[in-house]
Amino acid sequence: MAKGSSVLIIDDDTYICRILKKYLEQNGYEAEAAFSGAAAKNIIEKKDFDLVLSDFRLPDSDGLKILQHIKLKNPSVPVIIMTAYAEVKMAVELIKSGAFDYITKPIQQEEVLVIIARALRQSKGRTGKESFSREFITGSSQKIQQVMKYVNVV
């Protein structure tokens, strides 16, 4: 487990959000909660997270839109989608769009810890020697920054 890793939990069910937050903090993670898609996007713009745990169905957004927003900002952040509705088609679409995993509610807290630890291990592995080096291309123009975003996605 990556002690001290920061996790953003997004769920409109405040009870689930608070329980997960408390459980993750008890297990050595820094956790923050957002109860809507808009609140999550505001938090994501202000702070970087090591992992995001998001409900699929939110009153003002959905897990796919949240996933796309996160991946635009930081493609290496693992996103785990939670939902009460287990639909294979939706799961496939989320994984193809870059979600690390997909779990169904009711959530088993021990299972969440295992998935989070696996996601963090894999994301840390991607930042090693095989990842793209930012020193390879330099520049500060808006165009080169956009190119770097695309390179990171690839």
Side-chain angles (χ1 to χ4, degrees):
M1 168 173 53
K3 294 269 187 201
S5 293
S6 59
V7 177
L8 175 62
I9 306 158
I10 309 165
D11 199 321
D12 59 317
D13 184 332
T14 58
Y15 177 75
I16 288 176
C17 236
R18 288 186 177 120
I19 292 289
L20 278 171
K21 181 180 185 305
K22 185 176 181 180
Y23 185 71
L24 291 176
E25 288 172 345
Q26 289 172 343
N27 284 278
Y29 293 97
E30 294 175 18
E32 197 164 329
F35 306 119
S36 70
K41 286 178 182 179
N42 285 335
I43 293 169
I44 291 164
E45 289 304 314
K46 295 175 187 167
K47 184 177 177 184
D48 290 326
F49 291 90
D50 297 312
L51 183 133
V52 176
L53 191 59
S54 177
D55 189 17
F56 182 76
R57 295 192 184 192
L58 298 165
D60 63 341
S61 190
D62 67 43
L64 184 59
K65 289 178 186 169
I66 297 290
L67 172 66
Q68 291 168 341
H69 182 81
I70 293 165
K71 292 298 182 178
L72 269 176
K73 184 174 188 269
N74 188 347
S76 66
V77 172
V79 179
I80 299 168
I81 303 292
M82 309 176 289
T83 186
Y85 311 96
E87 300 170 11
V88 174
K89 185 177 178 182
M90 178 181 22
V92 169
E93 183 178 356
L94 289 166
I95 299 300
K96 283 183 177 180
S97 296
F100 178 79
D101 208 340
Y102 175 93
I103 57 177
T104 56
K105 295 178 182 179
I107 293 170
Q108 303 298 319
Q109 292 177 336
E110 297 79 20
E111 178 187 11
V112 170
L113 282 182
V114 170
I115 293 170
I116 288 173
R118 191 175 76 229
L120 290 171
R121 259 194 323 274
Q122 285 186 9
S123 74
K124 299 287 186 234
R126 286 188 199 143
T127 60
K129 294 176 188 172
E130 67 273 38
S131 73
F132 183 76
S133 170
R134 290 195 177 271
E135 290 90 40
F136 183 73
I137 298 175
T138 59
S140 57
S141 73
Q142 193 173 23
K143 292 285 185 186
I144 198 69
Q145 296 304 319
Q146 189 65 38
V147 167
M148 293 303 292
K149 278 186 178 180
Y150 291 137
V151 167
N152 283 328
V153 168
V154 171

